[in-house]
PDB file of all heavy atoms in Angstrom:
ATOM      1  N   ALA A   4      -9.046   1.971   3.086  1.00 98.00           N
ATOM      2  CA  ALA A   4      -7.719   2.251   3.524  1.00 98.00           C
ATOM      3  C   ALA A   4      -6.958   0.900   3.774  1.00 98.00           C
ATOM      4  O   ALA A   4      -7.442   0.113   4.463  1.00 98.00           O
ATOM      5  CB  ALA A   4      -7.655   3.079   4.821  1.00 98.00           C
ATOM      6  N   ALA A   7      -0.316  -1.239   5.851  1.00 98.00           N
ATOM      7  CA  ALA A   7       0.549  -2.350   5.977  1.00 98.00           C
ATOM      8  C   ALA A   7       1.789  -2.023   6.718  1.00 98.00           C
ATOM      9  O   ALA A   7       2.315  -0.940   6.677  1.00 98.00           O
ATOM     10  CB  ALA A   7       0.956  -2.729   4.520  1.00 98.00           C
ATOM     11  N   GLU A   8       2.239  -2.996   7.514  1.00 98.00           N
ATOM     12  CA  GLU A   8       3.432  -2.910   8.270  1.00 98.00           C
ATOM     13  C   GLU A   8       4.503  -3.830   7.648  1.00 98.00           C
ATOM     14  O   GLU A   8       4.171  -5.026   7.387  1.00 98.00           O
ATOM     15  CB  GLU A   8       3.282  -3.263   9.731  1.00 98.00           C
ATOM     16  CG  GLU A   8       2.349  -2.398  10.451  1.00 98.00           C
ATOM     17  CD  GLU A   8       2.083  -2.918  11.893  1.00 98.00           C
ATOM     18  OE1 GLU A   8       3.036  -3.307  12.618  1.00 98.00           O
ATOM     19  OE2 GLU A   8       0.887  -2.913  12.312  1.00 98.00           O
ATOM     20  N   ALA A  11      10.688  -6.810   9.479  1.00 95.00           N
ATOM     21  CA  ALA A  11      12.029  -6.147   9.850  1.00 95.00           C
ATOM     22  C   ALA A  11      12.953  -6.194   8.674  1.00 95.00           C
ATOM     23  O   ALA A  11      12.916  -7.194   7.990  1.00 95.00           O
ATOM     24  CB  ALA A  11      12.594  -6.868  11.202  1.00 95.00           C
ATOM     25  N   GLU A  15      15.742  -4.601   1.243  1.00 95.00           N
ATOM     26  CA  GLU A  15      16.097  -5.435   0.039  1.00 95.00           C
ATOM     27  C   GLU A  15      14.909  -6.016  -0.624  1.00 95.00           C
ATOM     28  O   GLU A  15      14.729  -6.033  -1.862  1.00 95.00           O
ATOM     29  CB  GLU A  15      17.159  -6.469   0.393  1.00 95.00           C
ATOM     30  CG  GLU A  15      18.503  -5.815   0.690  1.00 95.00           C
ATOM     31  CD  GLU A  15      19.008  -4.893  -0.340  1.00 95.00           C
ATOM     32  OE1 GLU A  15      18.969  -5.190  -1.597  1.00 95.00           O
ATOM     33  OE2 GLU A  15      19.469  -3.767  -0.005  1.00 95.00           O
ATOM     34  N   LYS A  18      13.074  -3.319  -2.458  1.00 95.00           N
ATOM     35  CA  LYS A  18      13.702  -2.915  -3.689  1.00 95.00           C
ATOM     36  C   LYS A  18      13.354  -4.010  -4.883  1.00 95.00           C
ATOM     37  O   LYS A  18      13.000  -3.621  -5.958  1.00 95.00           O
ATOM     38  CB  LYS A  18      15.214  -2.965  -3.624  1.00 95.00           C
ATOM     39  CG  LYS A  18      15.692  -1.763  -2.854  1.00 95.00           C
ATOM     40  CD  LYS A  18      17.261  -1.728  -2.701  1.00 95.00           C
ATOM     41  CE  LYS A  18      17.805  -0.567  -1.940  1.00 95.00           C
ATOM     42  NZ  LYS A  18      19.219  -0.604  -1.671  1.00 95.00           N
ATOM     43  N   LYS A  26       3.775  -0.735 -10.639  1.00 97.00           N
ATOM     44  CA  LYS A  26       3.020  -0.971 -11.905  1.00 97.00           C
ATOM     45  C   LYS A  26       1.512  -1.166 -11.466  1.00 97.00           C
ATOM     46  O   LYS A  26       0.590  -0.525 -12.136  1.00 97.00           O
ATOM     47  CB  LYS A  26       3.414  -2.184 -12.641  1.00 97.00           C
ATOM     48  CG  LYS A  26       2.834  -2.354 -13.991  1.00 97.00           C
ATOM     49  CD  LYS A  26       3.411  -3.518 -14.712  1.00 97.00           C
ATOM     50  CE  LYS A  26       2.781  -3.693 -15.961  1.00 97.00           C
ATOM     51  NZ  LYS A  26       3.421  -4.842 -16.721  1.00 97.00           N
ATOM     52  N   VAL A  38      -6.767   7.840  -3.890  1.00 98.00           N
ATOM     53  CA  VAL A  38      -6.844   9.140  -3.254  1.00 98.00           C
ATOM     54  C   VAL A  38      -5.434   9.527  -2.865  1.00 98.00           C
ATOM     55  O   VAL A  38      -4.922  10.692  -2.958  1.00 98.00           O
ATOM     56  CB  VAL A  38      -7.832   9.005  -2.024  1.00 98.00           C
ATOM     57  CG1 VAL A  38      -7.774  10.327  -1.207  1.00 98.00           C
ATOM     58  CG2 VAL A  38      -9.241   8.844  -2.471  1.00 98.00           C
ATOM     59  N   PHE A  43       5.523   4.722   4.773  1.00 97.00           N
ATOM     60  CA  PHE A  43       5.794   5.325   6.128  1.00 97.00           C
ATOM     61  C   PHE A  43       7.274   5.150   6.337  1.00 97.00           C
ATOM     62  O   PHE A  43       7.790   4.129   6.548  1.00 97.00           O
ATOM     63  CB  PHE A  43       5.156   4.510   7.247  1.00 97.00           C
ATOM     64  CG  PHE A  43       3.457   4.501   7.126  1.00 97.00           C
ATOM     65  CD1 PHE A  43       2.944   3.286   7.090  1.00 97.00           C
ATOM     66  CD2 PHE A  43       2.881   5.727   7.270  1.00 97.00           C
ATOM     67  CE1 PHE A  43       1.585   3.338   7.002  1.00 97.00           C
ATOM     68  CE2 PHE A  43       1.437   5.645   7.203  1.00 97.00           C
ATOM     69  CZ  PHE A  43       0.756   4.426   7.130  1.00 97.00           C
ATOM     70  N   ALA A  45      10.725   4.981   8.270  1.00 95.00           N
ATOM     71  CA  ALA A  45      11.001   4.362   9.560  1.00 95.00           C
ATOM     72  C   ALA A  45      11.447   5.413  10.662  1.00 95.00           C
ATOM     73  O   ALA A  45      11.426   5.011  11.823  1.00 95.00           O
ATOM     74  CB  ALA A  45      12.020   3.192   9.416  1.00 95.00           C
ATOM     75  N   PRO A  49      11.728  12.960   5.658  1.00 94.00           N
ATOM     76  CA  PRO A  49      11.363  12.709   4.350  1.00 94.00           C
ATOM     77  C   PRO A  49      12.295  11.906   3.527  1.00 94.00           C
ATOM     78  O   PRO A  49      11.907  11.381   2.489  1.00 94.00           O
ATOM     79  CB  PRO A  49      11.223  14.140   3.720  1.00 94.00           C
ATOM     80  CG  PRO A  49      12.027  14.951   4.567  1.00 94.00           C
ATOM     81  CD  PRO A  49      12.080  14.463   5.852  1.00 94.00           C
ATOM     82  N   PRO A  51      14.419   8.768   4.680  1.00 94.00           N
ATOM     83  CA  PRO A  51      14.900   7.977   5.853  1.00 94.00           C
ATOM     84  C   PRO A  51      16.224   7.280   5.678  1.00 94.00           C
ATOM     85  O   PRO A  51      16.745   6.656   6.620  1.00 94.00           O
ATOM     86  CB  PRO A  51      13.765   6.869   5.976  1.00 94.00           C
ATOM     87  CG  PRO A  51      13.256   6.881   4.563  1.00 94.00           C
ATOM     88  CD  PRO A  51      13.282   8.185   4.033  1.00 94.00           C
ATOM     89  N   GLY A  55      15.168   3.151   6.171  1.00 94.00           N
ATOM     90  CA  GLY A  55      14.225   2.595   5.267  1.00 94.00           C
ATOM     91  C   GLY A  55      12.855   2.917   5.550  1.00 94.00           C
ATOM     92  O   GLY A  55      12.453   3.998   6.108  1.00 94.00           O
ATOM     93  N   ALA A  63      -7.833   3.838  -1.591  1.00 98.00           N
ATOM     94  CA  ALA A  63      -8.259   3.744  -3.005  1.00 98.00           C
ATOM     95  C   ALA A  63      -9.747   3.234  -3.035  1.00 98.00           C
ATOM     96  O   ALA A  63     -10.205   2.652  -2.111  1.00 98.00           O
ATOM     97  CB  ALA A  63      -7.434   2.887  -3.761  1.00 98.00           C
ATOM     98  N   ILE A  68     -15.006  -4.489   0.093  1.00 98.00           N
ATOM     99  CA  ILE A  68     -13.885  -4.832   0.871  1.00 98.00           C
ATOM    100  C   ILE A  68     -13.110  -6.127   0.409  1.00 98.00           C
ATOM    101  O   ILE A  68     -11.921  -6.249   0.479  1.00 98.00           O
ATOM    102  CB  ILE A  68     -14.347  -4.919   2.372  1.00 98.00           C
ATOM    103  CG1 ILE A  68     -12.933  -4.857   3.350  1.00 98.00           C
ATOM    104  CG2 ILE A  68     -15.150  -6.106   2.697  1.00 98.00           C
ATOM    105  CD1 ILE A  68     -13.232  -4.496   4.672  1.00 98.00           C
ATOM    106  N   GLU A  69     -14.046  -7.065  -0.080  1.00 98.00           N
ATOM    107  CA  GLU A  69     -13.390  -8.335  -0.542  1.00 98.00           C
ATOM    108  C   GLU A  69     -12.403  -7.988  -1.787  1.00 98.00           C
ATOM    109  O   GLU A  69     -11.400  -8.589  -1.874  1.00 98.00           O
ATOM    110  CB  GLU A  69     -14.550  -9.271  -0.925  1.00 98.00           C
ATOM    111  CG  GLU A  69     -15.281  -9.800   0.191  1.00 98.00           C
ATOM    112  CD  GLU A  69     -16.383  -8.931   0.769  1.00 98.00           C
ATOM    113  OE1 GLU A  69     -16.716  -7.947  -0.026  1.00 98.00           O
ATOM    114  OE2 GLU A  69     -16.815  -9.100   1.880  1.00 98.00           O
ATOM    115  N   ALA A  73      -8.513  -8.667  -1.990  1.00 98.00           N
ATOM    116  CA  ALA A  73      -7.971  -9.523  -2.936  1.00 98.00           C
ATOM    117  C   ALA A  73      -6.903  -8.809  -3.771  1.00 98.00           C
ATOM    118  O   ALA A  73      -5.817  -9.311  -4.185  1.00 98.00           O
ATOM    119  CB  ALA A  73      -9.009  -9.860  -3.945  1.00 98.00           C
ATOM    120  N   ALA A  77      -2.779  -9.877  -3.742  1.00 98.00           N
ATOM    121  CA  ALA A  77      -2.084 -10.270  -4.958  1.00 98.00           C
ATOM    122  C   ALA A  77      -0.891  -9.282  -5.228  1.00 98.00           C
ATOM    123  O   ALA A  77      -0.098  -9.509  -6.181  1.00 98.00           O
ATOM    124  CB  ALA A  77      -2.932 -10.246  -6.139  1.00 98.00           C
ATOM    125  N   THR A  82       3.103 -10.803  -1.816  1.00 98.00           N
ATOM    126  CA  THR A  82       3.552 -12.111  -2.189  1.00 98.00           C
ATOM    127  C   THR A  82       4.977 -12.283  -2.027  1.00 98.00           C
ATOM    128  O   THR A  82       5.490 -13.470  -2.061  1.00 98.00           O
ATOM    129  CB  THR A  82       3.129 -12.363  -3.750  1.00 98.00           C
ATOM    130  OG1 THR A  82       3.672 -11.349  -4.511  1.00 98.00           O
ATOM    131  CG2 THR A  82       1.686 -12.300  -3.881  1.00 98.00           C
ATOM    132  N   VAL A  91      -7.164  -3.832   6.076  1.00 98.00           N
ATOM    133  CA  VAL A  91      -8.024  -3.254   5.056  1.00 98.00           C
ATOM    134  C   VAL A  91      -9.398  -2.860   5.728  1.00 98.00           C
ATOM    135  O   VAL A  91     -10.065  -3.590   6.377  1.00 98.00           O
ATOM    136  CB  VAL A  91      -8.404  -4.199   3.857  1.00 98.00           C
ATOM    137  CG1 VAL A  91      -9.349  -3.502   2.832  1.00 98.00           C
ATOM    138  CG2 VAL A  91      -7.183  -4.738   3.282  1.00 98.00           C
ATOM    139  N   LYS A  92      -9.661  -1.476   5.710  1.00 98.00           N
ATOM    140  CA  LYS A  92     -10.911  -0.937   6.435  1.00 98.00           C
ATOM    141  C   LYS A  92     -11.688   0.062   5.437  1.00 98.00           C
ATOM    142  O   LYS A  92     -10.927   0.805   4.665  1.00 98.00           O
ATOM    143  CB  LYS A  92     -10.453  -0.127   7.659  1.00 98.00           C
ATOM    144  CG  LYS A  92      -9.739  -0.944   8.686  1.00 98.00           C
ATOM    145  CD  LYS A  92      -9.371  -0.204   9.900  1.00 98.00           C
ATOM    146  CE  LYS A  92      -8.719  -1.078  10.844  1.00 98.00           C
ATOM    147  NZ  LYS A  92      -8.366  -0.445  12.072  1.00 98.00           N
ATOM    148  N   THR A  97     -13.639  12.864   4.427  1.00 96.00           N
ATOM    149  CA  THR A  97     -14.431  14.016   4.772  1.00 96.00           C
ATOM    150  C   THR A  97     -13.718  15.304   4.469  1.00 96.00           C
ATOM    151  O   THR A  97     -14.364  16.435   4.318  1.00 96.00           O
ATOM    152  CB  THR A  97     -14.877  13.932   6.289  1.00 96.00           C
ATOM    153  OG1 THR A  97     -13.752  13.931   7.043  1.00 96.00           O
ATOM    154  CG2 THR A  97     -15.798  12.722   6.471  1.00 96.00           C
ATOM    155  N   VAL A  98     -12.335  15.327   4.434  1.00 93.00           N
ATOM    156  CA  VAL A  98     -11.654  16.581   4.213  1.00 93.00           C
ATOM    157  C   VAL A  98     -10.493  16.241   3.287  1.00 93.00           C
ATOM    158  O   VAL A  98      -9.837  15.199   3.465  1.00 93.00           O
ATOM    159  CB  VAL A  98     -11.083  17.167   5.602  1.00 93.00           C
ATOM    160  CG1 VAL A  98     -10.181  18.352   5.256  1.00 93.00           C
ATOM    161  CG2 VAL A  98     -12.334  17.465   6.547  1.00 93.00           C
TER     162      VAL A  98
END
Side-chain angles (χ1 to χ4, degrees):
E8 295 177 44
E15 292 307 313
K18 284 180 185 176
K26 185 175 181 180
V38 173
F43 297 119
I68 196 167
E69 293 82 14
T82 62
V91 179
K92 297 180 181 187
T97 57
V98 177

